[in-house]
Amino acid sequence: MEYKELDVDRRKGTVRLRTAYNTDEIERDNHNLKKIIGKGFTPDRKMRLIAEIPMNDILRLGNAGDHDAIAGMNGDDAALKRLIRRNPGWRASDGSI
């Protein structure tokens, strides 16, 4: 859930817009998913769900200049792994990445 807050300081003549993003619901859903699917493999073990990354998060990180987010969005698997390790709330399965 995203919250926007406008902070106007009339004495200084400044305006600041802050955006806060609450990730509790997404992290709770991923935690529950992890309990259900365990290691995350499909029955034939050809695919595995590792993480569910909220689009707002990856775009926010990319816009902030996070090199792993930018590279991960462009197909760099190593950068995506580093990004998932830094954000354990995104994990949807147990085990290594």
Side-chain angles (χ1 to χ4, degrees), residues 8-70:
V8 179
D9 188 340
R10 295 185 192 279
R11 290 181 303 158
K12 293 181 182 177
T14 60
V15 176
R16 180 172 50 185
L17 176 65
R18 286 189 280 189
T19 302
Y21 184 63
N22 185 350
T23 62
D24 291 345
E25 185 178 335
I26 293 166
E27 290 180 10
R28 184 176 49 251
D29 290 345
N30 282 348
H31 177 73
N32 291 334
L33 187 59
K34 190 187 298 188
K35 288 192 303 189
I36 294 168
I37 65 173
K39 300 252 183 226
F41 286 100
T42 58
D44 61 3
R45 299 190 64 79
K46 290 186 178 181
M47 292 190 304
R48 180 175 174 218
L49 175 64
I50 295 172
E52 297 231 350
I53 303 172
M55 185 59 74
N56 284 344
D57 283 359
I58 194 100
L59 291 175
R60 178 183 49 80
L61 289 169
N63 287 336
D66 186 295
H67 297 293
D68 287 335
I70 295 167

